[in-house]
Amino acid sequence: MSKLLTISDLYKSFPIRRSKLGEKRRFVHAVRGVSFDVAEGETVGIIGESGCGKTTLGRMIVRLLKPDSGRILYNDVDISQKPAKALHEFRRDVQIIFQDPFASLNPRMTVEQILGEPFIIHGIKRRKSRRELVAELLQLVNLPESSMLKYPHEFSGGQRQRIGIARAVALKPKLIVADEPLSALDVTIQAEIIALMQDIQKKFGMTILMITHDMKVVANMANRILVMYLGQIMEELPASQILTPRHPYTMALLEAVPVADPRRKKAMVPLAGDVPSAVTPPRGCPFHPRCPYKQARCETEDPKLRTLTPGNVVACHFAEEIAKR
């Protein structure tokens, strides 16, 4: 498979409003030196706790946010610093599904207007009428044609997310960034949305970047998983290896997944304290203040991503030793 997307050394910070006159301006360091590739037709999952920078990363990839530094190569073209006017064709190829389907849909527009808008913005003229195209989109996401004349508030959360998905795939994009598309839905509806996205991907051959905090979702959907913590990638591994991670943070995420059988006992890796502040990230390994395996080196030396086994890349000084325990 050829590369569709290349992220190289991406950084993004947000200034904090100063509370005192003369106070030094501080920044939230949301994304710090993130690099990875995405191949055509691949599904890549990005997981991590809330506040780890995964949503900021997704919004930079679709250029809703401009990175401070680093490169975003889409089909070998750097779009990281291009002005908004120069991104018209890029936005046709790259779309986003937002976390909150109610907040992302215009409450004053009917479904027909919402789904017809991408065709108007990009000046797409086809032999079929716009209403026929909208009807096909509704059929694609398993909603009745009668939904056209309704407004977003007349639908359930799952139905609104289907409308959001229909809008995202209207122009048959090559890449979809799905930012926590299941978090506002109950478990039954989540399974339906996952199945729908997989069917659409298979039909159109799209590439999906799935951003979530749910380990089970990425295990079921993704080919490859990236684990983020405090704005950095801690581990990259194939979804088939999700049960045998090498980084202690990934191990802790895996062990935190609830098990249906109450008789089954799990060996928990205790994590001390809370996630450090993204305003003043710790020196050395960002995970060392909470890591049960930390050593003196972890407090001063930032570990670089390195390959342990084919497809498994880890940012940990002692990953081999930890894996043997």
Side-chain angles (χ1 to χ4, degrees), residues 206-220:
M206 295 174 181
T207 304
I208 295 178
L209 199 61
M210 172 65 76
I211 297 170
T212 181
H213 61 271
D214 193 325
M215 188 77 80
K216 290 182 178 178
V217 169
V218 290
N220 287 327

Side-chain angles (χ1 to χ4, degrees), residues 153-184:
H153 73 270
E154 299 180 74
F155 297 91
S156 68
Q159 289 172 325
R160 283 196 290 266
Q161 195 58 286
R162 289 174 185 272
I163 295 168
I165 292 171
R167 179 178 61 182
V169 303
L171 303 175
K172 296 185 175 65
K174 295 178 181 177
L175 172 66
I176 288 182
V177 175
D179 182 14
E180 299 271 15
L182 310 173
S183 62

Side-chain angles (χ1 to χ4, degrees), residues 182-248:
L182 310 173
S183 62
L185 310 176
D186 63 48
V187 177
T188 307
I189 304 301
Q190 284 183 7
E192 293 177 3
I193 298 299
I194 289 173
L196 173 63
M197 292 180 67
Q198 289 174 326
D199 288 344
I200 291 174
Q201 182 183 28
K202 187 176 180 180
K203 182 173 182 178
F204 297 119
M206 295 174 181
T207 304
I208 295 178
L209 199 61
M210 172 65 76
I211 297 170
T212 181
H213 61 271
D214 193 325
M215 188 77 80
K216 290 182 178 178
V217 169
V218 290
N220 287 327
M221 280 197 70
N223 306 113
R224 191 159 47 96
I225 299 170
L226 306 176
V227 183
M228 284 190 70
Y229 183 81
L230 213 62
Q232 295 180 256
I233 292 178
M234 296 287 99
E235 184 168 11
E236 176 185 331
L237 69 166
S240 59
Q241 297 179 19
I242 190 60
L243 297 179
T244 56
R246 296 291 185 267
H247 197 283

